[in-house]
Amino acid sequence: MISAVVLAAGRGTRMKSELPKVLHKLGGSPMIDVVLERVFAVSRQVVVVVGYKAELVKSHVERGWGDRGVLFALQREQLGTAHALSVALPLVEGDVVLVVPGDMPLLEASSLRRAVDAASRADASVLVARLPDPTGYGRVIVEGGCVVRIVEEADAGEEERRINLVNTGAYCFSRRVLEELLPEIGCDNAKGEYYLTDIVELMAKRGYKIVPVEVCPEEGMGVNSRKQLAEAYRVLCSRKVEELMESGVTVLAPETVFVDPKVEVGKDTVIHPFVFLRGSTKVGSGCVIGPFCVITDSVLLDGVEVREHSVVEGAVLEEGVCVGPFARLRPQTVLKKGARVGNFVEVKKSVIGENSKANHLAYIGDATVGRDVNIGAGTITCNYDGVKKHPTVIEDGVFIGSDTQLVAPVRVGAGSLVGAGSTITKDIPPDSLAVTRAPLRVLEGKGMRYFKRKKYGIE
Ligand code: UD1
Ligand code: CA
């Protein structure tokens, strides 16, 4: 059985942050979630070592992964990676132990699997990468196909610093070897820490075989600073965008499009430049996402068009819906088939029925709108009385004239017509005309000419 230990007790000093490093977000989700996703794909049991702001990290992980049975080991003082692993070891049940740092969000599950396979043919394996600039990483010394030593940057001589094969910090061991050798690791080094990397030399001396498993440079990247956080996010996004293009999605300017890992997009959808697709968003096929749109945790069925500069969050857009440009859809909004929400329209927690339209400048909140309804420009549902929110119901086939206020709670019956500029404070029965309007006065000869003459004496 494979167990995994995720090292996440460190503060992440180089981030210069109050927030523990592993809780820093890469796009939508904290780094630790990206790592746990991979780790759970490969192992039956996962132990997370927490320390710095342990409660914060623990409660976050518990929320996301509690139902997968994740365990926690508390490392009160952060004395180094070997110490962190020894704190976790008593909880480990598997005979094969993957060790994964919490700050390596780019490592793929397939690489962890390769580490397990390689270890099964030797006594342990280390994931290594060849980096153009190895600064800051432990350097890996290989002899005769086996790793014989890992030397930390701070302890490396000039010659060793030139080695560009680096330790990713992810390993696969047998539990037996860890039980035997972890207690022997000392802290006689530049940082005075118990380095897990020292186990390599101890293993080599005892005749254990530890093999390197190489991953591509991008995967080998750790996140220690804000700069590396940004680089990791860029890599994660470009991987995802490439995967989408591979599966039949058109992305017109891939380097400007940001897509979170869990997002799904169907075939023949076209994504224009400067688009963000975030969280658990699902986009159907044959959709068009215009430039500068931000879509979060939403579902778009087939053939939906979101035009430029629209912001969509927590909404469901059924087949053939068209929104924007400049539309804002807030959580719990459902636009039924063929509905249309145009520019400068905000919709919150409302259902808009089939083929209904709100094309310009409106606020629709806490409303249920039937089918074939036309909501005129400047219509406002006055849903908030200063204390509570109230619902508005607009039944099928209603026509709401421009610049109308619907003071909730209120219902407009099917097939009714509301005259432009009305303030509706009572329920309107079906098939009625409702208007509230001050009578129009026309005073002939009292136009601008009259006004200028009177005020300024100008003819
Ligand atoms: C470590 C490796 C280095 C490797 C690099 C890859 C050691 C000694 N060095 O260095 O060879 O190239 O990762 O990114 O292992 N942690 C704890 N408890 C501790 C110390 C660390 O849980 O007492 C956790 C951290 O939260 C972090 C991970 O272990 O998630 C790695 O620690 P970090 O301090 O980032 O190690 P590096 O200096 O990057
Ligand atoms: Ca690190």
Side-chain angles (χ1 to χ4, degrees):
M1 170 179 150
I2 302 170
S3 291
V5 177
V6 176
L7 306 180
R11 173 186 186 135
T13 316
R14 289 162 280 182
M15 294 295 281
K16 308 215 169 72
S17 174
E18 289 303 308
L19 193 67
K21 177 165 69 177
V22 294
L23 294 186
H24 278 264
K25 284 187 177 174
L26 272 178
S29 34
M31 206 163 4
I32 185 92
D33 291 327
V34 181
V35 172
L36 285 171
E37 173 100 37
R38 309 276 151 73
V39 163
F40 267 109
V42 189
S43 21
R44 280 265 292 283
Q45 187 205 24
V46 176
V47 182
V48 179
V49 184
V50 291
Y52 176 71
K53 297 204 174 167
E55 278 313 308
L56 201 63
V57 177
K58 196 175 153 186
S59 64
H60 173 81
V61 172
E62 190 75 52
R63 237 176 296 134
W65 305 91
D67 57 349
R68 305 282 296 265
V70 61
L71 297 177
F72 298 93
L74 179 65
Q75 186 194 21
R76 280 178 213 283
E77 272 183 286
Q78 286 78 61
L79 303 178
T81 42
H83 179 252
L85 183 54
S86 65
V87 168
L89 202 57
L91 296 176
V92 168
E93 286 169 8
D95 39 354
V96 176
V97 187
L98 267 173
V99 178
V100 183
D103 63 351
M104 300 285 300
L106 299 169
L107 275 180
E108 301 267 24
S110 57
S111 301
L112 296 178
R113 252 179 232 118
R114 280 169 58 216
V116 172
D117 288 347
S120 73
R121 280 178 262 111
D123 296 299
S125 64
V126 195
L127 287 181
V128 299
R130 218 169 267 289
L131 299 189
D133 176 13
T135 311
Y137 292 86
R139 311 297 206 277
V140 179
I141 295 150
V142 179
E143 279 170 18
C146 286
V147 181
V148 292
R149 202 157 77 88
I150 298 177
V151 54
E152 289 305 293
E153 166 123 338
D155 304 291
E158 219 176 289
E159 191 89 334
E160 287 164 331
R161 284 188 191 205
R162 272 200 290 272
I163 297 172
N164 69 354
L165 191 67
V166 306
N167 172 25
T168 66
Y171 322 79
C172 184
F173 298 103
S174 72
R175 196 182 53 194
R176 201 173 31 79
V177 166
L178 292 176
E179 280 165 349
E180 179 189 337
L181 295 178
L182 271 184
E184 292 188 22
I185 292 177
C187 59
D188 181 18
N189 53 51
K191 287 195 186 155
E193 284 185 5
Y194 295 87
Y195 289 163
L196 180 54
T197 44
D198 285 354
I199 203 169
V200 172
E201 212 174 338
L202 290 174
M203 286 182 74
K205 277 191 190 141
R206 300 275 162 98
Y208 289 123
K209 244 176 94 180
I210 174 159
V211 290
V213 174
E214 192 167 335
V215 298
C216 67
E218 283 181 344
E219 275 195 72
M221 215 185 85
V223 174
N224 298 308
S225 62
R226 308 268 180 169
K227 190 166 171 255
Q228 287 172 325
L229 184 71
E231 282 165 17
Y233 181 50
R234 190 188 53 74
V235 172
L236 217 57
C237 280
S238 60
R239 263 189 203 166
K240 180 70 190 183
V241 169
E242 271 166 35
E243 180 193 309
L244 292 182
M245 293 193 289
E246 202 74 31
S247 70
V249 176
T250 296
V251 183
L252 293 174
E255 64 285 3
T256 68
V257 169
F258 300 88
V259 184
D260 285 354
K262 288 205 187 100
V263 169
E264 294 171 21
V265 183
K267 254 167 73 171
D268 290 323
T269 284
V270 177
I271 301 175
H272 284 258
F274 300 102
V275 164
F276 291 77
L277 301 179
R278 306 202 293 208
S280 58
T281 295
K282 287 191 173 62
V283 178
S285 50
C287 295
V288 178
I289 314 295
F292 301 100
C293 287
V294 182
I295 302 178
T296 309
D297 297 332
S298 295
V299 177
L300 279 58
L301 301 186
D302 297 346
V304 165
E305 184 177 358
V306 181
R307 296 194 180 152
E308 51 268 47
H309 293 283
S310 294
V311 177
V312 176
E313 184 182 356
V316 176
L317 281 59
E318 292 188 357
E319 287 92 347
V321 158
C322 178
V323 306
F326 296 100
R328 171 147 191 237
L329 305 182
R330 290 169 52 197
Q332 297 182 54
T333 289
V334 179
L335 305 185
K336 298 277 193 189
K337 262 189 192 170
R340 165 94 183 96
V341 167
N343 37 242
F344 305 106
V345 175
E346 174 180 349
V347 185
K348 185 215 93 174
K349 204 177 175 184
S350 296
V351 178
I352 300 204
E354 265 179 49
N355 298 320
S356 289
K357 299 186 184 80
N359 269 333
H360 339 260
L361 300 155
Y363 171 62
I364 301 166
D366 304 296
T368 307
V369 178
R371 55 194 303 162
D372 300 312
V373 169
N374 195 330
I375 294 179
T379 296
I380 309 279
T381 54
C382 310
N383 59 332
Y384 186 49
D385 61 11
V387 183
K388 280 176 120 179
K389 300 279 168 68
H390 300 282
T392 299
V393 179
I394 302 173
E395 293 179 355
D396 294 348
V398 164
F399 182 98
I400 308 275
S402 296
D403 196 24
T404 292
Q405 298 96 52
L406 298 155
V407 182
V410 71
R411 171 184 291 265
V412 182
S416 282
L417 174 65
V418 175
S422 295
T423 303
I424 304 299
T425 52
K426 284 196 308 203
D427 287 359
I428 309 296
D431 202 25
S432 315
L433 168 65
V435 218
T436 67
R437 220 180 261 171
L440 173 68
R441 287 169 69 202
V442 179
L443 306 178
E444 283 188 42
K446 295 278 173 73
M448 282 309 285
R449 225 152 68 95
Y450 168 82
F451 167 78
K452 286 182 188 162
R453 184 167 55 217
K454 192 133 163 123
K455 188 149 187 196
Y456 305 110
I458 315 170
E459 256 321 307

